[in-house]
Amino acid sequence: METAGLPSKDFRLHLVTWNVGTASPPPDVSSLLQLNSLGPTTDMYIIGLQEVNSRIPNFLSDLAFDDPWSIFFMTVLSPLGYMKLSAVRMQGLLLLIFVKHVHLPFIRGVHTHYTRTGLYGYWFHLQALSAVSGVVVLLPCQGNKGGVSIRLSLFGHTLCFINCHLPAHIENTEQRLDDFEKILEMQFEGEDIPSPLDHEVLFWFGDLNFRIADYGIHFVRESINSKRFSLLWEKDQLNMAKKKEKFLEEFKEGPLQFKPTYKFDLHSEVYDTSEKKRKPAWTDRILWKVKNLSEIASKEGELPEEKLISVTLEDYVSHMSYGISDHKPVTGTFKLEMKPIISDPLIVLNPEGEWSADHDVVICYSAVPEFPSSAWDWIGLFQVTFRHMKDYVTYAWVEDDEISSTSNSKQVYMSASEIPRMGGEFLLCYYSNNLQSIVGVSEPFQIQPSQATTDKDLPEESSWQQKTENPELGDSEKRKGT
């Protein structure tokens, strides 16, 4: 698509990497997420955690319900207008992406993947299958080392995020590099989805476990105390590997102008005082790679006139005040400057007239001519603080509930019985089954409370619990009667 003449767009990402050491979330993460910052608003949060509590009861529970860390970040960010776009979990590894509602129509092709490494990609737990029979088996679980990945298209540009937990100990540098190469070779499921290195921008972060070689613990600690970090950079195993490993050459990282983030006594800023006295190291890192013009030319056959996307690191810091584990979290704030390839939403929708819980309501929407509509598309009514795509109050099937159609717009009916009686602030989202994403979002609007509401009224169940055909994302082909 032609992009010449299109204005550039600035988009801000805030990345977090944190080995939480099986701990529960802390009381406050305002500084970690820069929630009190006076600078530009963050458009997207990417949160990579390692060593999330993965004991068998916790892990099986998390498979059925959101894990405590996901719930925690949703609770913090949803009141601020962010929705959990995607998540992927592999044992103790967790990757979450939150995005401002306004950007949802311009995000497509979200896919997740996980790659096991370590002991043949598996580890085992003794698990009692039956308290009555007493049968005990070795239950294989997903690897506790490896990488979890999310890729997406943002305004037409491809981004990939990889959260890794690589092998520990100073002598395992080669194993760490081998494991990361294996993770880079993975393929997302689906047709025509690029590999990680073929994305325009690739972010690599996590507990990468690279250590400071050669120097003894006393020299390392003295250098840290005197803030002579540059003395340690040349012996940082990742910095050394970037100079000799071709597949790492294009990865960039901000200056390590903060103290090594491992290993601390819990709830303190004191390095390890245990008998092991682990040597401090910058184990927790954030790197990125932007596809260069020659790489684009080799894929597309011709050299573009200019880069359509660039990445600028604005802030790369550790957060010493968090002490729930022996690692300190690290954050990177980035500005993406891009020329949007996709600049208009596929669907424009809005509530018609004034909405009230006392009468049936109508939704108006229009689609671009090339929009691939489906019988399983639906429009959801969401509270403005909704947490994720399934967190709708109610919904309407765009075909079954349609009441009028013209060449320019369509109208969809929603019954008063499904509108929350207490009213409040809401928005509408159009979900495309073919594209597996939200492709249209309305402006927030008010629903007037029911005049019949009394103090005795209790909050009613969400309508999706009452309907028999509520849409299952990604599984709409099972819809009854179709």
Side-chain angles (χ1 to χ4, degrees), residues 184-227:
L184 286 177
E185 292 169 357
M186 69 84 171
Q187 293 289 330
F188 292 96
E189 291 186 11
E191 295 182 6
D192 302 322
I193 301 176
S195 64
L197 288 172
D198 285 329
H199 285 72
E200 290 174 74
V201 183
L202 170 61
F203 288 95
W204 171 37
F205 50 97
D207 180 0
L208 307 186
N209 254 321
F210 290 101
R211 307 303 172 97
I212 297 171
D214 298 340
Y215 296 143
I217 186 171
H218 297 295
F219 179 82
V220 171
R221 289 192 175 185
E222 279 299 315
S223 299
I224 294 169
N225 290 337
S226 59
K227 296 186 177 180

Side-chain angles (χ1 to χ4, degrees), residues 245-311:
E245 298 290 345
K246 189 169 182 59
F247 76 98
L248 294 180
E249 285 179 358
E250 298 295 326
F251 280 94
K252 297 180 180 179
E253 184 181 16
L256 296 169
Q257 294 178 340
F258 49 86
K259 294 169 66 173
T261 52
Y262 171 87
K263 171 182 169 77
F264 290 87
D265 290 344
L266 295 183
H267 308 293
S268 80
E269 297 183 21
V270 177
Y271 284 107
D272 187 15
T273 59
S274 71
E275 291 182 359
K276 293 183 178 180
K277 285 190 170 57
R278 298 287 191 193
K279 188 165 59 172
W282 286 290
T283 56
D284 310 282
R285 312 285 278 271
I286 300 173
L287 296 91
W288 74 97
K289 177 184 181 298
V290 180
K291 202 172 184 181
N292 59 49
L293 293 180
S294 61
E295 289 177 304
I296 296 173
S298 66
K299 291 288 182 181
E300 300 179 359
E302 59 183 42
L303 189 67
E305 294 181 1
E306 60 177 331
K307 269 196 171 181
L308 298 179
I309 186 168
S310 63
V311 177

Side-chain angles (χ1 to χ4, degrees), residues 27-304:
D28 183 79
V29 287
S30 296
S31 63
L32 185 72
L33 301 180
Q34 294 185 340
L35 299 183
N36 300 323
S37 170
L38 299 177
T41 302
T42 298
D43 296 294
M44 182 181 286
Y45 286 98
I46 299 93
I47 301 168
L49 305 179
Q50 307 86 40
E51 292 194 24
V52 172
N53 193 338
S54 56
R55 292 193 297 268
I56 282 293
N58 300 82
F59 186 65
L60 295 180
S61 172
D62 293 347
L63 288 177
F65 308 99
D66 280 312
D67 65 275
W69 280 94
S70 296
I71 294 170
F72 172 73
F73 282 113
M74 284 190 286
T75 302
V76 171
L77 290 172
S78 64
L80 304 177
Y82 296 91
M83 182 204 80
K84 186 183 77 174
L85 176 73
S86 185
V88 57
R89 171 110 185 248
M90 184 187 78
Q91 200 66 23
L93 273 170
L94 176 64
L95 178 56
L96 302 164
I97 293 184
F98 292 84
V99 66
K100 280 279 189 184
H101 304 155
V102 67
H103 301 306
L104 288 172
F106 307 102
I107 297 174
R108 315 265 174 85
V110 179
H111 290 81
T112 65
H113 194 278
Y114 61 81
T115 307
R116 296 183 293 258
T117 58
L119 184 61
Y120 306 105
Y122 291 90
W123 65 295
F124 298 88
H125 265 304
L126 283 173
Q127 172 71 3
L129 293 184
S130 169
V132 177
S133 64
V135 176
V136 178
V137 299
L138 279 172
L139 179 67
C141 300
Q142 296 166 343
N144 62 337
K145 292 291 192 296
V148 287
S149 310
I150 299 176
R151 63 87 54 196
L152 54 90
S153 168
L154 175 67
F155 292 97
H157 296 282
T158 55
L159 309 180
C160 184
F161 304 93
I162 302 178
N163 171 28
C164 290
H165 193 184
L166 301 180
H169 307 306
I170 195 166
E171 67 273 11
N172 286 330
T173 303
E174 291 304 318
Q175 187 62 54
R176 286 188 274 276
L177 296 172
D178 289 346
D179 284 1
F180 182 51
E181 273 198 289
K182 176 182 177 181
I183 292 167
L184 286 177
E185 292 169 357
M186 69 84 171
Q187 293 289 330
F188 292 96
E189 291 186 11
E191 295 182 6
D192 302 322
I193 301 176
S195 64
L197 288 172
D198 285 329
H199 285 72
E200 290 174 74
V201 183
L202 170 61
F203 288 95
W204 171 37
F205 50 97
D207 180 0
L208 307 186
N209 254 321
F210 290 101
R211 307 303 172 97
I212 297 171
D214 298 340
Y215 296 143
I217 186 171
H218 297 295
F219 179 82
V220 171
R221 289 192 175 185
E222 279 299 315
S223 299
I224 294 169
N225 290 337
S226 59
K227 296 186 177 180
R228 293 182 295 170
F229 302 138
S230 59
L231 296 176
L232 308 177
W233 293 344
E234 63 182 19
K235 293 299 181 180
D236 172 78
Q237 292 176 330
L238 180 54
N239 284 340
M240 291 191 290
K242 285 173 63 182
K243 294 177 181 178
K244 65 177 184 177
E245 298 290 345
K246 189 169 182 59
F247 76 98
L248 294 180
E249 285 179 358
E250 298 295 326
F251 280 94
K252 297 180 180 179
E253 184 181 16
L256 296 169
Q257 294 178 340
F258 49 86
K259 294 169 66 173
T261 52
Y262 171 87
K263 171 182 169 77
F264 290 87
D265 290 344
L266 295 183
H267 308 293
S268 80
E269 297 183 21
V270 177
Y271 284 107
D272 187 15
T273 59
S274 71
E275 291 182 359
K276 293 183 178 180
K277 285 190 170 57
R278 298 287 191 193
K279 188 165 59 172
W282 286 290
T283 56
D284 310 282
R285 312 285 278 271
I286 300 173
L287 296 91
W288 74 97
K289 177 184 181 298
V290 180
K291 202 172 184 181
N292 59 49
L293 293 180
S294 61
E295 289 177 304
I296 296 173
S298 66
K299 291 288 182 181
E300 300 179 359
E302 59 183 42
L303 189 67

Side-chain angles (χ1 to χ4, degrees), residues 355 383-384 420-427 444-449:
W355 278 33
Q383 291 184 313
V384 290
R421 294 173 60 83
M422 304 303 292
E425 191 174 16
F426 295 82
L427 52 78
F445 63 96
Q446 290 289 329
I447 296 180
Q448 299 303 314

Side-chain angles (χ1 to χ4, degrees), residues 352-369:
E352 185 171 278
E354 184 179 272
W355 278 33
S356 165
D358 285 329
H359 58 74
D360 299 341
V361 294
V362 173
I363 303 162
C364 285
Y365 77 91
S366 60
V368 299

Side-chain angles (χ1 to χ4, degrees), residues 326-369:
D326 54 359
H327 291 252
K328 301 299 182 182
V330 171
T331 61
T333 305
F334 297 84
K335 180 179 76 172
L336 271 59
E337 187 176 358
M338 59 187 132
K339 289 200 171 182
I341 298 172
I342 296 171
S343 56
D344 295 313
L346 294 173
I347 297 287
V348 175
L349 75 165
N350 54 73
E352 185 171 278
E354 184 179 272
W355 278 33
S356 165
D358 285 329
H359 58 74
D360 299 341
V361 294
V362 173
I363 303 162
C364 285
Y365 77 91
S366 60
V368 299

